[in-house]
Amino acid sequence: MAVMLCLNAAVLWSGREDIAAGRNDFPIFYSNAQMVREGQSSGLYDFDAENTFTHRVTNVARPPNNHLPYELLFFVPFTYLQFRAACVVWTILGLTMLAGVAFTMCGFRVGRCSFVLTFLTILAFYPEWYCLLQGQDSILLLCLFTLSFWLWRRGKDDWAGFVLALGLFRPQLVLPFVFIAFLAGQRKLVRGFIAGAALVLALSTWVVGLHGMADYARVLLAQGSQQSARALEKRWAVNPGLMPTWRGFLSVCLRKWVPSGLRTFFLLVGTFLGLAWAAKHMRRAKGKAAAAFDLAFAIALATTLLVSFHSFLNDFSLMILPFLICGPMLATSTLVPRKTGYLLVTLGFLFFSTPLYLALGAIGYMGWLFLFESLAVWLVSRWANDWRMETSNAITLAPECSVTT
């Protein structure tokens, strides 16, 4: 973990000039927030108007903004700083948010554990540093998922759903997770999510107006189709093979001559089967022990990341949350067969191997990570089934033991 931390920090340091020159994704948030601050928010989804502001800080044209405009209210304070200073503050804030995640999660870990060990685990995970390198907002979403987990575990389902709705700036990650909860019968969470979504939409409408929201809907629908995704790929160098998801795996496995309709069929079938499978595990954990719920939450979040349509390595930073949930439970569980345990630990080390990410990213084959992810999630689901059976047996035997006594 310490070696990977040093390597990750070195990668970030080597990219400092590119970050300062705006050759990452932070200029999108910074320039769009400037548009809001200067009263030009009606042009947020006009690509030419958007890049007019972007070219104030970088000479690199940016792809279309596909985030709900309410998120820009968070970035407006950064526009009062010079761009380079804003980059530094955003990076420091990202590390601070990761420290907050570590502080929250170290309380859930079983056995001997400390904030330092939890924080080291997070910092050893390369996707977190890739998110910082790209100036992306995925760490903010990680904080929201962590807070939602913290609230949900304490029986505050409505508030957990409300907090999740605040992450709708990345609907491709939030909506599938809420859909899993809906299929699993988590009505209170869905109710809280609807309330939060209403607030998010109201804030977004206040920022850009009804006309701007209509423009946003057209952009989102266009990018959600396979044909438009290919056009986006050609114009803005979007490579699905760099996505560690089901879509990325199909991109690196299927030949170019495979018909688009067949690709879409595979994509949709795999997506809905994955969501239904995760919902089944969450439904079975309902009313069980806290450990069963923790595993169900981890499986649901990991599955959401696996089947997301538009997610890159920076979004994969959310996978640290299932690791922080399952890792300590695996270390103390007596229900994991030795071979399964060894395999899970081996897969865990692969996920924390920075050179693996660098190599797959260099050749554009990040989609192969889907195989490791799927195997790890499937093994955890088998372990979760054993855990639930053990809990059910203990509950069944308890009355008999009481009578015998």
Side-chain angles (χ1 to χ4, degrees):
M1 293 294 185
V3 171
M4 290 303 103
L5 165 58
C6 295
L7 185 56
N8 294 339
V11 171
L12 180 65
W13 179 255
S14 67
R16 65 190 184 281
E17 294 299 331
D18 287 337
I19 295 174
R23 288 190 285 270
N24 62 356
D25 293 332
F26 184 67
I28 299 176
F29 306 115
Y30 184 84
S31 59
N32 284 189
Q34 278 187 324
M35 295 177 73
V36 173
R37 179 186 167 192
E38 297 180 17
Q40 302 296 320
S41 56
S42 60
L44 275 174
Y45 303 105
D46 180 333
F47 304 153
D48 294 330
E50 184 183 3
N51 275 290
T52 298
F53 277 79
T54 304
H55 287 155
R56 293 182 182 182
V57 296
T58 179
N59 58 0
V60 181
R62 308 309 307 171
N65 180 10
N66 56 4
H67 292 196
L68 276 168
Y70 78 96
E71 182 193 18
L72 297 175
L73 297 174
F74 180 81
F75 287 96
V76 167
F78 289 89
T79 63
Y80 290 92
L81 301 171
Q82 294 294 325
F83 178 72
R84 289 197 174 203
C87 288
V88 173
V89 172
W90 177 236
T91 302
I92 294 173
L93 181 59
L95 290 170
T96 304
M97 288 189 288
L98 291 177
V101 171
F103 179 78
T104 303
M105 294 304 299
C106 67
F108 293 116
R109 302 187 68 174
V110 183
R112 184 181 178 183
C113 181
S114 65
F115 166 79
V116 173
L117 180 59
T118 307
F119 196 31
L120 175 62
T121 304
I122 294 174
L123 295 181
F125 195 50
Y126 176 70
E128 312 297 347
W129 294 83
Y130 183 80
C131 187
L132 296 174
L133 186 67
Q134 292 299 315
Q136 271 289 351
D137 56 359
S138 302
I139 292 176
L140 178 59
L141 184 60
L142 170 62
C143 286
L144 293 174
F145 264 100
T146 304
L147 180 57
S148 178
F149 173 69
W150 185 83
L151 291 167
W152 203 358
R153 205 171 187 268
R154 282 160 174 74
K156 301 178 180 180
D157 300 20
D158 291 271
W159 281 108
F162 185 88
V163 169
L164 275 181
L166 300 181
L168 278 172
F169 53 84
R170 289 195 174 275
Q172 72 272 22
L173 293 171
V174 173
L175 290 178
F177 185 88
V178 175
F179 183 66
I180 290 172
F182 171 76
L183 293 179
Q186 301 288 347
R187 294 186 178 86
K188 290 183 179 180
L189 181 131
V190 175
R191 182 175 62 194
F193 174 80
I194 292 173
L199 174 62
V200 161
L201 291 175
L203 286 174
S204 297
T205 305
W206 176 67
V207 171
V208 298
L210 291 174
H211 180 72
M213 290 299 293
D215 288 341
Y216 170 75
R218 283 193 288 270
V219 169
L220 200 63
L221 290 173
Q223 293 186 14
S225 67
Q226 285 279 32
Q227 183 176 358
S228 295
R230 285 198 301 274
L232 192 69
E233 176 184 349
K234 292 179 180 178
R235 183 176 179 184
W236 299 102
V238 176
N239 182 6
L242 291 175
M243 300 180 184
T245 63
W246 173 233
R247 181 188 174 195
F249 179 70
L250 291 177
S251 176
V252 299
C253 286
L254 298 181
R255 301 297 181 182
K256 293 183 178 180
W257 50 262
V258 176
S260 175
L262 189 58
R263 289 174 179 268
T264 303
F265 173 77
F266 286 147
L267 182 66
L268 292 176
V269 169
T271 298
F272 285 105
L273 285 178
L275 295 176
W277 176 79
K280 180 183 70 172
H281 282 279
M282 184 174 286
R283 191 184 309 112
R284 288 178 177 176
K286 194 173 182 180
K288 302 292 185 181
F293 168 80
D294 293 351
L295 291 173
F297 185 96
I299 290 171
L301 180 54
T303 303
T304 297
L305 292 168
L306 287 174
V307 302
S308 175
F309 178 77
H310 188 84
S311 294
F312 289 94
L313 190 57
N314 55 283
D315 299 306
F316 195 60
S317 61
L318 272 71
M319 189 64 80
I320 193 64
L321 194 54
F323 276 119
L324 293 178
I325 293 171
C326 297
M329 297 173 67
L330 172 67
T332 58
S333 175
T334 59
L335 301 176
V336 182
R338 180 172 296 181
K339 291 183 179 180
T340 302
Y342 285 152
L343 184 54
L344 280 170
V345 170
T346 302
L347 289 172
F349 274 109
L350 286 176
F351 284 121
F352 284 90
S353 175
T354 297
L356 177 64
Y357 294 101
L358 298 178
L360 292 177
I363 62 177
Y365 276 27
M366 197 67 70
W368 286 114
L369 277 177
F370 175 83
L371 291 177
F372 305 133
E373 300 162 20
S374 302
L375 178 58
V377 175
W378 178 76
L379 289 171
V380 169
S381 71
R382 294 289 301 274
W383 172 33
N385 288 334
D386 293 340
W387 195 296
R388 283 192 297 268
M389 290 178 61
E390 183 74 11
T391 304
S392 299
N393 291 337
I395 294 174
T396 303
L397 291 174
E400 298 180 3
C401 294
S402 177
V403 170
T404 302
T405 305

